[in-house]
Amino acid sequence: MELLGKILVRKLDEFQLKGKIVETEAYYGKEDPASRARKGKLPHCELMWSDPGKAFIYMVHGNWLLNVVAFPRGIPGAVLIRAIEPLEGIELMMKNRKSKDIKNLTNGPGKLTQALKITNKLNGIDLTSKQSELRIETNIAQEKIEIERSFRINVSQDMKEPLRFYIKNNPFVSKIF
DNA sequence: AGGAAGATCTACT
DNA sequence: GTAGATCTTCCTA
């Protein structure tokens, strides 16, 4: 996806936490049996019908999952950020996660939200605005990345096509086939 | 009001 | 690798 390789920036009081997006999954609306939007316009996921570039944060199994709305208004769909590679503020992430293993900080959807202190307070925030507490920056020195794709992980009913994208040979992706 | 499900994580064998 | 914990929202009575 286009999000791969971009930088996720979480702004706290005096600090900034940064991480490179290394793993994503696509979710659609009613076409997708795994999507929460499949049953119709549920109140809490109305953001999927909203404008692209907004954060859609969803709680499941006691974990916050971070999504980015990916389609124009009117079309439901979002991209789940599964894993990032910590770049800045790593010590604070370790503190948030109570772990000192860097590879264990953000290599999963629920883990990265803990490390970055992402909660439903940030639901619906504009990820493209400079003032947002949470935003996505384009990687200036965009290195060459190889994108690999596979089927989604831990989804009870997956679709027929692979909807998971990740950066090849990156140690921070949650699972490699 | 109560119960079930869900895009997960951790700990233990 | 498998089981259990965990929490919020939605569905049904």
Side-chain angles (χ1 to χ4, degrees):
Chain A
M1 274 246 98
E2 292 162 18
L3 283 172
L4 282 177
K6 295 204 175 180
I7 307 298
L8 184 69
V9 181
R10 171 75 166 107
K11 196 163 72 173
L12 294 172
D13 303 322
E14 302 291 323
F15 300 97
Q16 268 197 161
L17 304 179
K18 288 192 185 181
K20 184 164 69 177
I21 300 171
V22 297
E23 186 179 357
T24 64
E25 281 179 10
Y27 285 87
Y28 299 108
K30 41 187 180 207
E31 307 276 311
D32 189 346
S35 169
R36 286 268 152 147
R38 87 193 114 116
K39 284 179 183 160
K41 221 173 190 175
L42 269 31
H44 70 279
C45 50
E46 242 185 72
L47 278 164
M48 278 183 113
W49 278 261
S50 176
D51 301 306
K54 287 191 174 176
F56 168 47
I57 296 167
Y58 190 78
M59 159 68 77
V60 96
H61 290 75
N63 295 278
W64 298 105
L65 311 189
L66 174 61
N67 297 251
V68 181
V69 180
F71 293 98
R73 179 175 288 274
I75 305 176
V79 176
L80 166 70
I81 301 190
R82 282 195 62 85
I84 64 175
E85 172 186 340
L87 296 179
E88 213 178 292
I90 293 174
E91 292 192 6
L92 190 51
M93 293 188 200
M94 288 178 176
K95 211 171 126 196
N96 293 340
R97 291 269 304 123
K98 300 194 170 98
S99 162
K100 66 175 189 139
D101 181 4
I102 186 169
K103 282 198 300 234
N104 198 32
L105 288 178
T106 54
N107 63 335
K111 296 181 192 173
L112 81 87
T113 52
Q114 284 175 36
L116 298 193
K117 281 190 154 54
I118 292 172
T119 70
N120 58 345
K121 276 198 322 199
L122 301 175
N123 199 17
I125 202 170
D126 184 4
L127 292 170
T128 61
S129 161
K130 281 263 177 199
Q131 328 179 40
S132 291
E133 290 185 75
L134 187 67
R135 66 180 194 273
I136 288 176
E137 279 181 358
T138 308
N139 196 352
I140 314 270
Q142 184 79 284
E143 50 198 295
K144 213 169 42 176
I145 54 174
E146 287 191 77
I147 295 180
E148 196 81 9
R149 63 188 296 180
S150 76
F151 290 97
R152 293 182 292 190
I153 295 179
N154 284 314
V155 178
S156 47
Q157 293 184 54
D158 207 346
M159 307 235 301
K160 287 173 193 155
E161 49 181 328
L163 287 174
R164 173 174 175 252
F165 303 85
Y166 58 95
I167 297 180
K168 197 175 180 181
N169 294 332
N170 189 296
F172 295 95
V173 302
S174 55
K175 174 107 180 154
I176 304 173
F177 289 108

